[in-house]
Amino acid sequence: MGAKITGFFTVAIIALLPFAHATPSGLTYLDSTYSTDEGEGGEIIAINPNGSILASVHGNELIFFNTSTLDKIGQVYFGEDIMGMEFNPNGSLLAINKRSTVTLKESIKLINVSSMNILDSSVLADDKFKDISWSIDGTILAAQGNDGDVEQYRIPSLFVKNTLAEIHVVDVKCIDYRSDGQYVLTGDESGRWAVWNLQGELQGSYKTYSEGLVDCQFSPDGSDIVLLGENGKFTSKIFGGSEKHTETIIGAKQIIFSNVSNRMHVSVESESFRGLISYDYNSFTPLTNTTFFHKVEDVAILEKDNGRIQSLFVAGGTGEIAVYLRELIPKGFNEPGVDLDGDFVPDDLDPDDDGDGIIDDWDDDFGCDAPEGTPCSRYPDLNKIRSVEIFVGEFFVVSDQITLPTEDSSHIRNLSRSAIAKDNAISYKEVDLFSKAMCQNMNHGDIIDRWRESIVLSNGELGSATVSCEIISGMELIRDGDSTTQISMLIRTTFNYSSKVSLPLEISLIEQPLPTDGSIAWLAPSHPISLKFDGEGVEENEIPLWWNDGNNIAKVTINQVSIKSPSFVERIADLALHPIAFVLYLAIIAGAITTFLRWSNRIEFDLEDENEFDTQDDLEPIEESLEDIEEIDDTAYIIDRDNEFDNIIEPIMPVKSPPRKKREMYRTTEQKSPLVKKKRVSTSSRLNKDGPITKTKRKRLIDEDDFIDDIYEPKSPTKIPEPKIKKRKVKLDNDLSQPEKNTVTRKKKVKQENTTPGPELKSEKKKRKPVKRKQKSKLDTKSDSKEQPQSKDSHKIDEDKLQDSLMDDFTTVE
């Protein structure tokens, strides 16, 4: 386990070494070629040997550009997509490998560069192969054949000279000729590589690399072989000898050797870095790096005589080829003539005289805040010009905000759209990638030195500093095809103090610093600028427009702000508006809302239904008690009257009664006094003057010929006695004028001949529901028992009298 961890960290350290020790190359994105209005393709590029022509593939279209001016100088169309191309050693021919069709069995074609004509000769090879290779003398062209082996074709006929056979059984990734022209190196995606002579004979046996190959080459002098694996493993071997050096470069895709010096470049695309790393091939130490903000499909370079990169061309898979330069010198620089903005380009040659990044021909269309009588082409938009803010506080901070021109902003957005995800929207990560790439390409030391030389302080001294970058606007979520929105970028330089400053402080700017090597600020106008001075507890100062005429020095004095003691009202307002106070406000509001919700969702318990008492002084109309009326159904219960508590036996044929409705009860007898509402009390405390009355359920009336005087109490709840009896408990107020009330139980004989009324009353009879009467409370029964003593005879009920009264109530018509 320890060995695995050690190996992991070793690989990680090796992978990070190139980025940790290499310094910026001084190259940065400054221009683009633009092939089509749609912005399609752009995965393959090639430069002719003298560096004057750049060829770029865009689908089935091949475009030639002048490498100095980036003007389009030629164009060739094919019916199918182009997969690979390469200039011959003298640059007169360009070989391309395109897709073949069912009807047209050809893939390799030759183009005469001077006339831009396609030669008639052709041959069918593997139409997906990309790495076409020319021999040193230009008489042989090598590519993967249609059968998978490497074929060598004669030029210009494209007849097969010989076949490098029986080694590569998968796709070939690289072919390279040795500088002496005697040997050929081939490698495939399985890791097999071999060396052949010009006659197609294998030299020794083939070798197997530890991972699939993506590139293989001879060193410029032919003494070494370099191999690059798909996982970033780089190996240098002596030709015919042992291994010299091995290291891992995560994301490595392509090897490019310098023509005039012992220098090697490796293109890289990984999550942590994408760009070009330059190595000293003898010591295998990284020298410089150039950071990209887009995809890395193919790379081509132009060098100076000393081997230093002059121009870097990168195919990013879009409609343009990104061009990386050290600086961008405008046409007409330092020529004599009137110069309004001070950029050293005469106004008659400067397309942007006022220096706001908007072409003069467009200024009047955009509008401006120019004084009356001054055209917009002569007065810059103050929101577009270079803006510098100096902040004095714990650190001395110089914030330099630049605005890129509209055309360059459009190119940058087009390259960034597919940097991470292939879509039409620019995400925050892609914006951050661009910001970091541009900042890493700058020479931070030069930026710090130039500001230190330009700023003069009346006291104190500036010390070490750091540089950071940030995109202000113009990239994220900008729609595809927008050609007018400008990108604003902030370059912030933060100084420490080598000796502290004190107020009042006089700050002077003796010049407007120009961009340094590798700074994207070359794209933005550097003159004129606006100045703002701010700080901690100091008065603000501003110079809205400072022209670069060489004589005018910007100078301001920063004084401390006089602070008066706040009044009582101001202190109260400060406390009320303090962030902690808002936390308290939110807590109070949350508590009030919680209390309101709990109050609105409360459950009310009405305990008076069981504990209210009935008194003579608190009588209510009987109509209010009608909600206690229940409809008699076929459910019956048998009650034990002798027991103080209800002993409910098993119900017979229970049927759920419908919901009770309020109805107005009619009476068949004259009402002598107002009826009262009886309140319920607990069962255990119900008494009246005649003794305890138990709470009973409704009992079913049955058809029997005889009355049942006694209530049968079954000993078993599962056994139902016969005959079935339905009994009712009825409470009557015979004489409401008397203080005493009698409660009796009636029995009703349900024979048809006794219950059916006469013919004269049958049509007027109405069906009525029985009334469940409420009982007196225990207190009333106690008071009644004190007035009238209980006796055994008081429990006896005159059943005949009650039956007659009941019949009269049902048959009497008012």
Side-chain angles (χ1 to χ4, degrees):
M1 186 65 182
K4 291 183 178 179
I5 295 175
T6 303
F8 171 79
F9 281 107
T10 301
V11 172
I13 292 171
I14 292 175
L16 294 176
L17 278 176
F19 318 123
H21 297 287
T23 59
S25 64
L27 299 168
T28 192
Y29 170 83
L30 291 179
D31 212 339
S32 289
T33 64
Y34 203 73
S35 61
T36 63
D37 294 336
E38 294 79 12
E40 296 179 353
E43 292 85 9
I44 305 171
I45 56 177
I47 294 180
N48 65 343
N50 63 13
S52 60
I53 299 176
L54 170 70
S56 174
V57 172
H58 301 270
N60 59 1
E61 184 179 15
L62 178 61
I63 304 176
F64 297 91
F65 297 94
N66 184 301
T67 56
S68 299
T69 63
L70 299 182
D71 294 333
K72 186 185 298 186
I73 59 177
Q75 193 168 354
V76 179
Y77 292 95
F78 292 91
E80 298 80 27
D81 291 345
I82 300 172
M83 306 305 296
M85 64 180 177
E86 188 70 28
F87 283 98
N88 67 346
N90 60 18
S92 60
L93 294 176
L94 177 66
I96 63 103
N97 187 30
K98 66 179 184 63
R99 292 290 187 126
S100 64
T101 63
V102 176
T103 57
L104 189 61
K105 299 294 185 180
E106 63 177 22
S107 61
I108 295 180
K109 299 287 291 182
L110 300 176
I111 300 173
N112 188 317
V113 177
S114 60
S115 63
M116 299 292 173
N117 293 327
I118 303 174
L119 303 184
D120 294 334
S121 57
S122 64
V123 67
L124 178 62
D126 185 343
D127 60 0
K128 296 180 292 183
F129 184 68
K130 295 182 178 181
D131 193 15
I132 301 175
S133 183
W134 290 85
S135 63
I136 300 302
D137 57 6
T139 60
I140 299 174
L141 179 69
Q144 182 174 351
N146 189 36
D147 295 331
D149 295 324
V150 176
E151 305 280 2
Q152 295 189 92
Y153 305 102
R154 299 181 184 275
I155 300 298
S157 64
L158 293 180
F159 293 155
V160 176
K161 177 179 182 294
N162 51 46
T163 302
L164 312 181
E166 298 181 357
I167 296 297
H168 301 294
V169 296
V170 293
D171 290 342
V172 176
K173 288 296 183 180
C174 51
I175 302 174
D176 190 41
Y177 281 85
R178 192 179 175 187
S179 57
D180 59 4
Q182 299 300 314
Y183 297 99
V184 182
L185 172 66
T186 61
D188 61 35
E189 63 181 8
S190 69
R192 283 187 180 185
W193 63 275
V195 177
W196 316 75
N197 60 22
L198 291 183
Q199 288 71 38
E201 298 173 347
L202 182 65
Q203 303 299 294
S205 61
Y206 72 85
K207 309 293 189 304
T208 301
Y209 202 52
S210 58
E211 57 189 57
L213 293 172
V214 295
D215 201 1
C216 57
Q217 293 185 31
F218 286 105
S219 61
D221 59 3
S223 61
D224 295 338
I225 294 174
V226 294
L227 306 171
L228 182 62
E230 59 186 3
N231 294 324
K233 181 182 177 181
F234 171 82
T235 301
S236 173
K237 300 173 67 68
I238 298 175
F239 181 65
S242 61
E243 183 177 300
K244 291 178 61 176
H245 179 76
T246 297
E247 69 175 79
T248 300
I249 307 172
I250 302 300
K253 302 181 67 173
Q254 183 181 0
I255 300 173
I256 304 172
F257 276 102
S258 173
N259 294 325
V260 294
S261 65
N262 199 13
R263 184 172 296 186
M264 180 184 69
H265 313 285
V266 179
S267 65
V268 176
E269 182 178 3
S270 65
E271 293 183 0
S272 59
F273 176 80
R274 57 182 71 189
L276 187 74
I277 307 173
S278 298
Y279 291 86
D280 184 334
Y281 180 72
N282 290 330
S283 61
F284 296 100
T285 56
L287 300 175
T288 61
N289 59 46
T290 305
T291 308
F292 305 153
F293 62 94
H294 45 73
K295 283 189 171 296
V296 186
E297 299 290 350
D298 198 4
V299 177
I301 62 174
L302 286 179
E303 297 177 319
K304 293 184 178 180
D305 294 338
N306 59 0
R308 190 179 185 186
I309 297 178
Q310 176 182 351
S311 302
L312 180 62
F313 301 90
V314 186
T318 61
E320 59 265 299
I321 304 301
V323 182
Y324 286 74
L325 305 170
R326 296 184 181 277
E327 58 185 11
L328 192 63
I329 305 300
K331 181 180 180 181
F333 185 76
N334 269 340
E335 292 188 9
V338 178
D339 181 18
L340 175 65
D341 54 5
D343 60 355
F344 304 104
V345 178
D347 292 344
D348 57 344
L349 300 177
D350 190 358
D352 180 23
D353 292 342
D354 53 1
D356 57 3
I358 303 175
I359 299 175
D360 293 336
D361 296 338
W362 295 0
D363 271 327
D364 292 332
D365 296 332
F366 282 95
C368 63
D369 297 329
E372 186 176 355
T374 303
C376 290
S377 60
R378 305 293 293 176
Y379 191 86
D381 185 345
L382 299 183
N383 294 322
K384 303 293 185 181
I385 64 174
R386 182 182 180 187
S387 175
V388 176
E389 179 180 356
I390 295 177
F391 183 88
V392 180
E394 183 181 359
F395 301 97
F396 191 91
V397 183
V398 180
S399 299
D400 187 2
Q401 181 175 335
I402 60 174
T403 302
L404 306 182
T406 54
E407 184 178 1
D408 295 310
S409 298
S410 179
H411 286 318
I412 291 170
R413 285 192 293 267
N414 195 31
L415 286 166
S416 295
R417 290 186 198 281
S418 59
I420 296 177
K422 290 187 177 181
D423 51 23
N424 293 326
I426 300 178
S427 65
Y428 168 78
K429 291 184 178 180
E430 290 169 334
V431 174
D432 186 61
L433 179 64
F434 171 75
S435 175
K436 290 180 178 178
M438 296 302 98
C439 208
Q440 291 171 3
N441 288 335
M442 297 177 185
N443 191 323
H444 293 186
D446 287 349
I447 295 175
I448 294 169
D449 291 340
R450 291 200 179 187
W451 279 116
R452 186 183 285 113
E453 294 170 359
S454 300
I455 298 173
V456 177
L457 304 179
S458 60
N459 63 80
E461 188 177 355
L462 299 179
S464 60
T466 58
V467 177
S468 62
C469 305
E470 178 184 355
I471 299 299
I472 303 299
S473 62
M475 286 196 68
E476 188 174 3
L477 301 180
I478 300 299
R479 65 179 180 84
D480 187 15
D482 189 321
S483 60
T484 59
T485 302
Q486 297 176 257
I487 296 175
S488 294
M489 184 175 182
L490 183 67
I491 304 172
R492 183 180 291 110
T493 307
T494 304
F495 287 92
N496 296 310
Y497 296 104
S498 58
S499 61
K500 289 290 184 180
V501 298
S502 60
L503 300 178
L505 175 67
E506 184 178 271
I507 302 177
S508 301
L509 268 72
I510 60 177
E511 65 177 355
Q512 299 178 9
L514 287 171
T516 62
D517 287 349
S519 175
I520 196 174
W522 283 109
L523 291 177
S526 298
H527 318 288
I529 66 175
S530 65
L531 293 173
K532 182 179 180 180
F533 301 87
D534 198 0
E536 298 174 355
V538 302
E539 296 178 351
E540 291 185 3
N541 286 274
E542 187 175 4
I543 301 177
L545 194 58
W546 179 29
W547 295 99
N548 184 31
D549 55 9
N551 299 320
N552 187 14
I553 296 177
K555 182 184 297 185
V556 296
T557 300
I558 297 179
N559 297 311
Q560 186 173 4
V561 177
S562 58
I563 303 174
K564 62 178 182 179
S565 59
S567 63
F568 175 76
V569 176
E570 291 174 342
R571 288 196 296 269
I572 294 298
D574 291 339
L575 292 175
L577 297 178
H578 195 276
I580 297 179
F582 283 97
V583 176
L584 179 60
Y585 300 155
L586 293 176
I588 293 174
I589 294 173
I593 293 174
T594 303
T595 302
F596 173 76
L597 292 177
R598 291 176 63 88
W599 179 83
S600 60
N601 295 331
R602 73 190 186 284
I603 300 176
E604 296 181 352
F605 295 94
D606 192 356
L607 302 178
E608 295 181 355
D609 289 344
E610 297 293 335
N611 298 320
E612 290 184 355
F613 301 98
D614 186 17
T615 62
Q616 293 295 335
D617 297 332
D618 187 18
L619 299 178
E620 298 178 0
I622 191 64
E623 287 79 7
E624 297 182 3
S625 67
L626 295 178
E627 59 186 26
D628 294 326
I629 299 175
E630 296 178 345
E631 183 178 355
I632 297 178
D633 51 24
D634 293 336
T635 304
Y637 297 86
I638 299 177
I639 311 301
D640 185 1
R641 180 180 294 171
D642 295 335
N643 194 347
E644 182 180 359
F645 300 94
D646 295 346
N647 185 13
I648 303 175
I649 313 302
E650 188 175 339
I652 301 174
M653 298 176 61
V655 179
K656 184 177 180 181
S657 61
R660 294 178 295 179
K661 300 180 180 180
K662 290 187 177 182
R663 298 175 56 189
E664 183 177 356
M665 186 179 69
Y666 71 91
R667 287 189 173 275
T668 58
T669 59
E670 182 178 359
Q671 183 177 351
K672 296 180 181 180
S673 62
L675 299 177
V676 296
K677 178 181 179 182
K678 298 302 180 179
K679 307 277 178 90
R680 296 179 180 175
V681 297
S682 59
T683 305
S684 60
S685 61
R686 291 185 177 177
L687 296 173
N688 70 357
K689 64 182 180 179
D690 296 328
I693 304 297
T694 59
K695 182 177 180 180
T696 62
K697 300 292 184 176
R698 291 172 294 167
K699 293 166 287 185
R700 181 179 180 185
L701 299 179
I702 61 174
D703 293 334
E704 293 294 340
D705 296 334
D706 300 325
F707 290 100
I708 306 300
D709 295 329
D710 298 326
I711 298 176
Y712 176 77
E713 179 181 359
K715 296 181 180 180
S716 174
T718 59
K719 183 178 181 181
I720 306 301
E722 294 293 344
K724 296 181 180 179
I725 299 173
K726 187 170 186 181
K727 292 197 174 185
R728 155 185 299 180
K729 184 176 70 175
V730 180
K731 181 178 179 182
L732 292 179
D733 294 332
N734 293 331
D735 190 0
L736 296 177
S737 62
Q738 300 298 326
E740 298 179 0
K741 300 185 178 74
N742 294 323
T743 302
V744 295
T745 303
R746 294 184 177 179
K747 296 181 180 179
K748 181 179 179 181
K749 186 175 181 180
V750 290
K751 286 188 176 182
Q752 185 68 29
E753 62 273 9
N754 294 334
T755 58
T756 305
E760 65 279 3
L761 299 177
K762 187 173 182 179
S763 61
E764 298 179 3
K765 184 181 295 186
K766 297 181 180 179
K767 183 178 179 182
R768 63 172 289 164
K769 297 179 181 179
V771 180
K772 182 178 179 181
R773 304 295 185 181
K774 293 185 177 180
Q775 306 299 324
K776 280 190 176 183
S777 65
K778 186 174 181 180
L779 293 177
D780 291 338
T781 55
K782 286 183 180 180
S783 61
D784 292 342
S785 63
K786 290 179 182 179
E787 296 176 2
Q788 183 177 351
Q790 298 280 342
S791 64
K792 295 182 179 180
D793 296 337
S794 64
H795 294 283
K796 296 182 179 180
I797 299 174
D798 191 345
E799 299 290 342
D800 295 335
K801 185 177 179 180
L802 291 176
Q803 182 65 25
D804 294 339
S805 299
L806 180 62
M807 292 299 297
D808 291 341
D809 288 341
F810 279 90
T811 58
T812 304
V813 179
E814 294 182 354

